[in-house]
Amino acid sequence: MSRLPPRPGATLIELLTALLILAVLTGLVVPPISAVGDRLAVRAATRAIVTTFTDGRRGGLRYGRATVEIQPTGLRLLVHDSVAVQHDLATRFGVSIQSSTPAMTFDHAGLGRGVANGTIILSRRQAVDTVIVSRLGRVRH
């Protein structure tokens, strides 16, 4: 039984068909994966904000005064005007930050002073989370 050699164009057509199927499957899988990455990044940035406000409250109790400053790229915790913690959330997680309040100061009793309720909105593409800080410094999201 003799075997005929493959036609020259047959392998090219098979290769192009396989690449087309791979491209379609990749197009279906990549967007959900990137959406999951966006949600995880926003969630991690939210945890950093909640932790920083908790540390600010503890700093106020321990040192008499601590201030959490919210900046367009991140936030920082100041204890007696010295930077104790600084988070660059825009670089680290790729999120954008919008805040209704620029800072909150915690006093010796751990209570927030000088601010009404504040809202911090974190977003990355379609993923969005909101952190609300009460006038007394309690955080919820």
Side-chain angles (χ1 to χ4, degrees):
M1 189 168 230
S2 70
R3 208 165 177 217
L4 295 174
R7 294 187 330 236
T11 56
L12 181 61
I13 291 173
E14 292 168 355
L15 179 63
L16 289 175
T17 304
L19 287 175
L20 178 66
I21 291 170
L22 183 63
V24 169
L25 290 175
T26 301
L28 293 173
V29 171
V30 169
I33 289 174
S34 66
V36 168
D38 293 342
R39 286 193 303 270
L40 289 174
V42 169
R43 193 172 298 154
T46 300
R47 277 193 302 267
I49 288 175
V50 170
T51 301
T52 303
F53 273 94
T54 302
D55 291 344
R57 179 180 288 248
R58 289 181 185 150
L61 286 168
R62 184 169 186 176
Y63 300 108
R65 185 183 60 157
T67 303
V68 177
E69 292 182 346
I70 299 111
Q71 303 164 338
T73 58
L75 68 157
R76 65 185 183 167
L77 172 61
L78 303 169
V79 177
H80 289 292
D81 299 327
S82 296
V83 177
V85 176
Q86 183 155 355
H87 295 290
D88 188 1
L89 302 176
T91 301
R92 186 171 177 196
F93 300 112
V95 297
S96 62
I97 303 167
Q98 296 175 340
S99 178
S100 65
T101 182
M104 174 171 270
T105 300
F106 292 92
D107 65 9
H108 66 282
L111 298 175
R113 294 288 180 221
V115 164
N117 291 345
T119 304
I120 304 166
I121 301 171
L122 300 161
S123 62
R124 179 173 157 175
R125 294 186 195 105
Q126 297 298 318
V128 178
D129 199 0
T130 303
V131 177
I132 299 171
V133 183
S134 75
R135 63 184 182 84
L136 297 177
R138 285 175 276 178
V139 180
R140 66 182 169 95
H141 66 97

